[in-house]
Amino acid sequence: MPTHSRIALATLAIAVTITACTARESDSTDSAAASLDSATTAAAAPNVVTVTATDYAFDAPAEIPAGVTTFRLVNRGPELHHVQLVKLNDGKTMDDLSALLQQPPQGPPPAWVEEVGGPNTPVPGGESTVTLDLEPGNYAMLCFIPSPDGKPHIAKGMVKPLTVTPAASAAREPDADVTMKLVDYDFELSQPITAGRHTIRVENAGPQPHEVFIAKLEPGKKASDLLAWVEKQNGPPPGQPLGGTTTFVTGTHQFITADFTPGTYALICFVPDEKDGKPHFVHGMAKEITVLSDYQ
């Protein structure tokens, strides 16, 4: 039974049996109920972890508790950055991961490297957030975004270990008003996104890992223009990154919270395909959506 229902029934019983209840006692009961509701709400809030990205490092806690966690990525560098969280399974350590990262990429990562997502790229000077449920274990934060010289940031030292400890808290997931399903090879929205602040539940419903990179396009520009800019990064970008989620495995989900203004947005997945190694946008996983004001 909800807390407020139990309080209401208890108050009714007292009113029937104790007719001499004073106003002071009633106020005390109401105050206690309000305090209980406030404490319950606070206990249900996810743990917030701030990660500050610079060129080329992460400033973040080395240890956090398990459970529903909101990662807030703050980009303090002039280049683009994201947080790709990976869980190291089967007893593997950062030494194993470092050895793997020094090898030329050859297809999907080994099974002991579990991609669990994280906040995708905001604009330099901006921030993005993602909420996900973390299990205890050893993790690493990585940035795979390439610099203009073509070298990925992980090659420049943008790697940080993270230990997730067992926790007894039971924070709840945020309430979403839109659901986005990632499939091979599309982004399926439960309803159009309107202008304003939204929390989007992002589900990987495809057989492969996926991500969603969100950018607001400049007037007259298309997703193809943004993809062409990413290749060489010459001149001003044709869109402004809003965030999204980095790569996470099938059958899992996480939450994006962001402010949308009217305009055209690009949704893009850069994850290499498990069959041919080509980015998923080559297979059509690049989509334009229009965000309208509520009154349009």
Side-chain angles (χ1 to χ4, degrees):
M1 179 184 295
T3 300
H4 66 272
S5 298
R6 294 198 297 268
I7 293 173
L9 288 175
T11 302
L12 177 60
I14 292 171
V16 171
T17 58
I18 307 178
T19 58
C21 179
T22 64
R24 181 177 298 177
E25 289 170 335
S26 178
D27 290 342
S28 178
T29 300
D30 292 342
S31 176
S35 297
L36 180 59
D37 288 341
S38 176
T40 301
T41 301
N47 180 37
V48 178
V49 176
T50 298
V51 180
T52 302
T54 57
D55 298 348
Y56 303 95
F58 291 119
D59 182 10
E63 185 175 291
I64 62 173
V68 179
T69 305
T70 296
F71 281 87
R72 173 176 169 260
L73 170 63
V74 180
N75 187 355
R76 291 287 182 257
E79 294 189 27
L80 300 176
H81 296 292
H82 66 197
V83 175
Q84 175 64 66
L85 283 164
V86 296
K87 186 173 185 287
L88 309 181
N89 295 317
D90 301 334
K92 298 295 184 178
T93 66
M94 284 297 297
D95 289 339
D96 297 308
L97 181 63
S98 297
L100 176 67
L101 293 175
Q102 291 174 10
Q103 301 173 10
Q106 298 178 350
W112 56 267
V113 178
E114 180 183 352
E115 297 159 313
V116 297
N120 218 325
T121 310
V123 295
E127 60 183 69
S128 63
T129 64
V130 160
T131 301
L132 65 161
D133 194 356
L134 289 179
E135 297 179 348
N138 293 322
Y139 291 74
M141 291 184 285
L142 314 171
C143 183
F144 287 102
I145 295 178
S147 292
D149 61 9
K151 293 182 179 180
H153 292 168
I154 55 170
K156 301 186 178 191
M158 208 158 179
V159 179
K160 183 177 178 64
L162 175 67
T163 300
V164 178
T165 62
S169 62
R172 67 180 182 85
E173 293 181 335
D175 296 323
D177 56 336
V178 178
T179 297
M180 178 190 295
K181 291 187 177 181
L182 312 183
V183 298
D184 292 7
Y185 300 96
D186 196 8
F187 304 93
E188 299 178 348
L189 292 168
S190 61
Q191 63 189 52
I193 298 175
T194 56
R197 191 168 183 81
H198 293 279
T199 296
I200 303 172
R201 177 185 168 104
V202 184
E203 302 176 355
N204 187 349
Q208 301 186 61
H210 288 296
E211 70 168 345
V212 55
F213 167 74
I214 305 174
K216 185 179 181 183
L217 298 172
E218 298 294 338
K221 298 298 183 180
K222 298 183 177 297
S224 56
D225 298 316
L226 182 58
L227 289 169
W229 180 87
V230 169
E231 287 292 322
K232 298 181 180 180
Q233 299 186 32
N234 290 332
Q240 295 296 316
L242 186 66
T245 72
T246 51
T247 309
F248 63 108
V249 296
T250 184
T252 60
H253 65 273
Q254 44 202 268
F255 298 84
I256 301 167
T257 299
D259 294 304
F260 291 83
T261 55
T264 302
Y265 290 74
L267 310 177
I268 302 173
C269 182
F270 291 95
V271 177
D273 193 80
E274 292 182 346
K275 298 177 182 178
D276 58 17
K278 296 179 180 179
H280 286 164
F281 68 78
V282 173
H283 294 275
M285 205 164 178
K287 187 172 190 171
E288 294 174 15
I289 62 171
T290 301
V291 172
L292 301 174
S293 299
D294 287 332
Y295 57 83
Q296 289 181 292

